[in-house]
Amino acid sequence: KIKGELVKLQKEDPEKYEQFWTAFGSQIKYGVVADYGAHKDNLKDLLLFWSSKENKLTSLKEYVDRMPESQEKIYYVCADSVEHASKMPQAERVLKAGYEVLYLTVDEDEIVLQMLENAYDKPFVSVASEDALPVTDAEKASVEQAEKDHKALLDFAQETLKGEVSKVRISKILQSGAVCLTAEGPVSLEMEKYFRKMRRDFPMSAQRVLELNPDAPAFQALCKAYEEDKEKAAAYVEVLYNQALIIADLPLPDPARYAELVCGLMK
């Protein structure tokens, strides 16, 4: 009965419902996650997330109702603010394709979507996922060729970042951005941040992947340095990794070292 009244309020007086959501939204999200998702189907209609297309909060039902017939997934991106989310390099290709993206700006948001798995038979997918959008044979071949052409450089970058990332690869998702950080396996970067916030001794961590855009000027500079000055190339790799951490809203391992590297390269 309470849920019915809240759904009615959401439809008839959205502004008043948003006030309710501001006060109690976190409790509803925790309700979705609690008891291993036992109440998720009853609560999903009450959830609100920021929409890239509407530029305001939206329900999952409203998102699905707006989806074109050709769209099969619900896209989302994680960031610390709406403004940051809209500028995430990982989101550029999906936004450019004209798809609506949910901006998840609270630590537990991705956990909530993972628990739901789908909404109205539409699965959730991160914009950072390689299969978020269909990849043409030509695009796939281009990435594979770039991986082959720059294998020695990618191996060098991975060795430079030994212990920090599990892989360095040519990106299939970056458009104009030079670098970003993604994760492989069941634990995402956001999940790691969320669980470490809840438990500092959380044993699981994301398998970090540094993605490089071969068309970016920064990558061309890295290639040149790798051929002429390995020490300088190593510094470039560290700078790019630290930039990827900043974009992902993750702490730098050594801020002073990062400042030193940047200043050293400005000589």
Side-chain angles (χ1 to χ4, degrees), residues 86-106:
S86 68
K87 296 176 181 176
M88 291 289 280
Q90 297 95 315
E92 185 179 0
R93 63 177 181 146
V94 177
L95 291 170
K96 206 171 179 180
Y99 292 122
E100 182 174 358
V101 177
L102 296 177
Y103 294 160
L104 310 188
T105 58
V106 181

Side-chain angles (χ1 to χ4, degrees), residues 164-222:
E164 297 291 337
V165 299
S166 61
K167 187 182 294 184
V168 178
R169 69 183 174 206
I170 297 296
S171 182
K172 295 178 183 176
I173 64 175
L174 289 171
Q175 298 281 298
S176 60
V179 65
C180 73
L181 204 62
T182 58
E184 287 188 334
V187 181
S188 70
L189 298 172
E190 294 303 316
M191 290 170 69
E192 179 185 329
K193 285 192 281 186
Y194 172 74
F195 285 115
R196 286 195 184 281
K197 185 176 178 181
M198 302 295 289
R199 274 185 55 190
R200 289 187 178 275
D201 61 339
F202 182 64
M204 296 176 66
S205 59
Q207 294 182 46
R208 297 178 179 183
V209 178
L210 184 68
E211 305 217 2
L212 301 174
N213 182 356
D215 298 322
F219 186 81
Q220 304 307 318
L222 175 60

Side-chain angles (χ1 to χ4, degrees), residues 13-28:
D13 194 343
E15 288 187 14
K16 201 164 187 178
Y17 184 78
E18 284 185 23
Q19 291 176 1
F20 163 81
W21 177 257
T22 299
F24 299 104
S26 292
Q27 282 72 22
I28 292 175

